Structures are given as structure tokens and as C-alpha cells.
Amino acid sequence: MTNIFDSSKENSILKDERFLYPDFVPDQLPFRDAEIGEIVFGLKPAAHGKKPTNIFIAGKPGTGKTASAKFVLNELEEYSDRAKPLYINCFEINTRYAILAKATNFFGFPVPNRGLGSQEIFERFLAVIKNKKIVPILIFDEAEQLLKNEDSKKLLYDLSRLAEQFKIFAGLLFISNDEKFLSFLDERIRSSLNASKIVFEKYSALQLKEILKERAQYAFFSNVLEDEVIPLCAAHASKEGDARIAIESLLKASRFAERENAQKVSVKHVRKAFMEEKPVKFEITENLSEQEQLVLDFVAEKEVSAGDLYKALCKKFAERTLRKAVSDLEKKGLLVTEKTKKGKGHSRIIRRNSPNCSKK
Ligand code: ADP
Ligand code: MG
């Protein structure tokens, strides 16, 4: 018996889909030369044992911040033994201890993942830098996560004083979708960091098209994309200017095409990929009345007819009250109603505006 995962069919469209994964770092980043140049300029002194400039990279999601930073740090690693770049995603690791321990380990002094005192771990971190005569470059991606508690804010304070107090040259690179990140720091931290800001602008549809073309060369066999496919993915993502959205929809569309055993990826597959995209999450910030909440819960994730809804809830509220609740929820964008023909008359179908709708 053959296993159900065992398919004799070879992929005929995707040559190597890893080139379309979100964390893939391409060795060419078109339209980011100037930004990459600025990062290089700021960090270059580190390669010669001097004090690099601290940098803050700001920009909307999918504008190439992470990819550019990783690209630069890979190059720096190759170029210099002095500079030691360490990438930290602050969604994954964000306590002062965990970050200092990770860095100290990475720079070459093994320390336990827990158990040392708050001063002791910092001293070991200082010791490894001095001992190994390195210039650490710490890259904090999703850096706004560090502002969420006092413990990680203390880390920023400690790091901001490295040069002045401990005569240690380090480069700090903060990356955030929040352009105001620096302004949330304490005045004294901000002024000691003295970071220069580099803003990554959204990509235009034209730029997204070029980026997709570049990536597609590696990911696909030749001539498997219909002409409209890349422009369509680019146009779709151009409102947000987000290369991740563009690349993801291309990947999704091509998987649909392969699943169907199609010869080529076509507009039809791309449209299907768009449909599958998770609707934008929105949170209910307004206070809902009791009847509104009840209606929303009743509708839940399915479609219901207005008649069924009134019937089900009529013990608690009059139909008039429920009608008003439905119409108010529709105005708030939480429900959608649609007229349908039913027998002789008309009926109303009600459903949630987004299946991901979450309550606060
Ligand atoms: P951000 O960190 O700003 O949210 P990323 O750097 O993660 O964005 O980029 C999102 C995706 O788009 C990644 O797959 C990345 O490789 C790709 N990407 C972004 N900019 C470019 C570019 N200029 N050229 C090629 N690929 C890019
Ligand atoms: Mg990123």
C-alpha cells in the first residue's frame, strides 16, 4: 500500500518554494541600496574596533527592515572578526536576563539560562566583551516589545550606558514598525543612545513587481507564471506597500495551481489566494449593549436568517429592539445583512463581518 503522503508526481511549477518564505534573506534587495548604505555607514567603525553609531530602523510591515538588517549583519560577520552581530527577535526573547544570557553565550562565555543575579549576569556580559575584545552589534527586531515592562526597559538603560560608564563600544540597532519607538524611551536613555533614524518607506506597485520578479526567478521553473500573475500580486499588496503580502500571495497561488495539476499559475489561482487571506482582524472597542452582544454571540461564525434570530431571542427582547440592535451592529461594521428571496417574500440573512472578530 502506498502512503497517502506519497505522491509520485513531481512538482512542476515550484522549483524551490523556500525562496518565497517570509524569513528567506535574498542576496539582492532591490530599492534598499540607500537604506543598506546608511546602516553600513553607521556600523562600519565596529569592524575596526571603534564605536559604531546606534541606529533605529522604522517602517511599516513588509518594507524590508528585517531582511535588510540580516543582510547587513551577514556581510559584517564575513568582513570582520572584531564586530560580532547578534540578531534578537524581541517577540521571542524579551527579558533582560534572557537577552544578556543569550549574548554572553553567543560571544563565548557559557552562562546558565537562569539563576544568576541581575547584576551578575550583566557583569558576565561586560566581561565577555572586554575579554574577547569584540565590538558587539545587538540587533533588536520588533523592539517595541522591550517597552512593555520595567525589566526590559532597565536593559535599555544598561545598554545605553555601555560607552560612558564601562568604556565598551557596542552598536545597537533597533527595528520597529512603530515610528515613535524612540519617543517612548526615557529622555536620558534616548539621549545617551543618540540613535540615527532610518525610515523604510512602503514599496510602490512597480517596486513590488520587480521584487516579485527577482524572487520568482529562483522559486519557479521557467514559464510557469502567466503574464498577469506578478502584476496582480504586486497591485494587491501595493496598498500596504508590503512585500510580504505580495510574496505570500504568489506562493499561495502557485500551491493552488500545483494542487490542481495546472500547467501554469493563472489569475484564477491568484484570486483564490486573495480570498483565502485572513480578513483583517479588528477589535470591538465600543461598548455593546446587552442586546447587541447577544445578537453578535448568536450569529457567531455562521449565517442566520433574521427570522430565526428574532425567534430565538424573543424571550429576552422585543423584535423591535432586536431589529435595532442588528442595524446598529451593521452600522458599526460588525455585521453584514443581505436580502434574499424566500418563497413568496423576502428574508434577511445576517452574518459577521469578519470570522476573526474578537471581543475585548
Ligand atoms: P519587515 O521586517 O519590514 O516587516 P521583511 O524584511 O521581513 O519586512 O520583508 C518581508 C518579505 O519581503 C521578506 O520575505 C523579504 O525577503 C521580502 N523583501 C522585502 N524587501 C525586499 C526587497 N527589496 N527585495 C526582495 N525581497 C524583499
Ligand atoms: Mg521584520
Side-chain angles (χ1 to χ4, degrees), residues 19-26 28-32 59-68 141-142 175 177 200 203 211 214-215 242-245 247:
F19 288 99
L20 300 178
Y21 289 173
D23 54 358
F24 175 75
V25 181
Q28 299 247 351
L29 287 153
F31 313 112
R32 288 301 178 233
K60 293 270 182 295
T63 53
K65 302 182 299 298
T66 300
S68 302
D141 204 350
E142 320 287 355
I175 306 175
N177 296 337
F200 280 50
Y203 291 117
I211 290 172
E214 178 88 31
R215 296 289 278 264
D242 185 329
R244 186 181 296 109
I245 295 180
I247 295 171

Side-chain angles (χ1 to χ4, degrees), residues 35 92 94 126 131 153 164 197 227 229 239 248 256 281 288 319 335 339 343 347:
E35 292 80 355
E92 285 159 18
N94 47 41
L126 298 175
N131 223 280
K153 278 194 208 162
E164 237 172 78
K197 181 172 169 182
D227 289 349
V229 165
K239 184 161 168 273
E248 263 175 17
F256 280 133
K281 257 195 191 171
L288 299 180
E319 187 174 321
L335 286 183
K339 260 194 187 147
S347 161

